[in-house]
């Protein structure tokens, strides 16, 4: 097995190697700590699966996932994120992920999730499965469903109390561009202020 581990923390990558090596002793691992290195590694080698963190320093994880699936549609991607399922779970599956696992999950779930996606299935927790079923059946239509990935990320960051300058730094964008995304999402959602955005994000469990 060949696994590409994508996370900007070397300690976490080393921990994943230790866990997965116990299950797949002959496994070969590749490492990437940024979006740029992900695409480089994905183009140079053929991987059986990718474990992707959404919190990369140079680009949004959802954007990276979307482009990876466009270039390598058959590559199973297991998203391992510090973000709660309620915030990003549904969106990562719509973007093409084969599984979603929170970093706070029990360690044995990582191998369980990988076995599932390697067999061609999807790894979905019971709580997220229920949420997805409601969404796809039209029972949980929400204003943020129509947002782009970048607009959605800005919404969540504003909802968590981050300023436009902080968001710009984190997403490697200029302040004016983030302001444009904010204006677009306000218009799409029929809201007017950051306070309304924050209230919406909290009410819809989009922030931790």
């Amino acid at each position: 097995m060949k696994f590409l581990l994508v996370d900007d923390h070397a300690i976490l990558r080393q921990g994943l190697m230790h866990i997965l090596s116990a299950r797949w002793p002959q496994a070969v691992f590749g490492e990437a700590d940024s979006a740029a290195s992900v695409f480089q590694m994905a183009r140079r080698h053929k991987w059986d699966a990718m474990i992707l963190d959404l919190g990369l320093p140079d680009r949004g994880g959802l954007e990276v996932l979307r482009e990876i699936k466009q270039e390598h549609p058959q590559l199973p991607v297991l998203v391992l994120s510090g973000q709660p399922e309620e915030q990003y779970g549904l969106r990562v599956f719509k973007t093409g992920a084969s599984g979603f696992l929170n970093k706070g999950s029990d360690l044995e779930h990582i191998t369980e999730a990988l076995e599932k996606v390697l067999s061609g299935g999807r790894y979905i927790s019971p709580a997220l499965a229920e949420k997805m079923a409601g969404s796809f059946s039209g029972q949980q239509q929400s204003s943020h469903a129509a947002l782009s990935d970048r607009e959605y990320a800005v919404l969540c960051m504003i909802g968590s109390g981050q300023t436009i300058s902080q968001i710009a730094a984190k997403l490697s964008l200029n302040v004016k561009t983030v302001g444009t995304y904010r204006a677009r999402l306000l218009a799409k959602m029929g809201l007017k202020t950051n306070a309304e955005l924050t209230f919406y994000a909290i009410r819809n469990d989009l922030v931790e």
Side-chain angles (χ1 to χ4, degrees):
M1 287 292 175
K2 295 182 65 176
F3 299 116
L4 179 56
L5 310 179
V6 185
D7 194 286
D8 60 340
H9 294 94
I11 293 178
L12 190 140
R13 298 196 304 271
Q14 292 297 317
L16 284 174
M17 288 184 202
H18 178 74
I19 295 168
L20 300 182
S21 293
R23 171 62 181 83
W24 292 280
Q26 304 302 317
V28 175
F29 299 99
E31 299 181 64
D33 60 3
S34 66
S37 58
V38 173
F39 293 115
Q40 184 180 64
M41 293 291 289
R43 290 163 184 161
R44 283 185 176 180
H45 307 282
K46 181 176 176 60
W47 305 97
D48 292 298
M50 174 189 294
I51 300 179
L52 173 68
D53 177 31
L54 294 181
L56 299 178
D58 51 345
R59 285 188 64 184
L62 286 171
E63 294 180 4
V64 172
L65 173 60
R66 186 181 302 281
E67 290 194 27
I68 285 292
K69 294 302 295 183
Q70 288 174 347
E71 293 189 18
H72 310 277
Q74 303 305 314
L75 175 63
V77 179
L78 173 64
V79 171
L80 181 62
S81 175
Q83 303 292 345
E85 291 177 334
E86 295 81 2
Q87 185 174 356
Y88 277 100
L90 178 59
R91 191 164 284 254
V92 299
F93 281 105
K94 288 184 175 180
T95 308
S98 297
F100 181 95
L101 194 63
N102 188 275
K103 287 183 177 179
S105 303
D106 292 337
L107 296 181
E108 62 265 22
H109 290 166
I110 296 176
T111 54
E112 178 185 344
L114 266 180
E115 288 174 341
K116 185 74 172 180
V117 303
L118 286 168
S119 67
R122 286 189 170 191
Y123 183 84
I124 307 172
S125 71
L128 182 57
E130 182 178 350
K131 188 176 183 66
M132 291 176 68
S135 176
F136 291 136
S137 66
Q139 295 173 0
Q140 295 182 359
Q141 292 299 318
S142 55
S143 298
H144 63 268
L147 300 179
S148 69
D149 291 341
R150 185 52 63 84
E151 291 165 351
Y152 181 76
V154 171
L155 165 63
C156 294
M157 290 178 179
I158 291 176
S160 67
Q162 298 182 53
T163 66
I164 296 297
S165 296
Q166 290 171 328
I167 295 170
K170 190 167 186 178
L171 296 180
S172 299
L173 299 172
N174 61 51
V175 171
K176 184 176 180 180
T177 300
V178 175
T180 298
Y181 283 121
R182 174 185 173 276
R184 288 177 182 171
L185 70 91
L186 283 171
K188 288 182 179 181
M189 298 175 66
L191 302 176
K192 296 181 179 180
T193 66
N194 281 4
E196 291 179 339
L197 284 178
T198 300
F199 178 76
Y200 178 93
I202 294 172
R203 185 183 62 190
N204 287 276
D205 297 321
L206 302 183
V207 297
E208 297 186 59

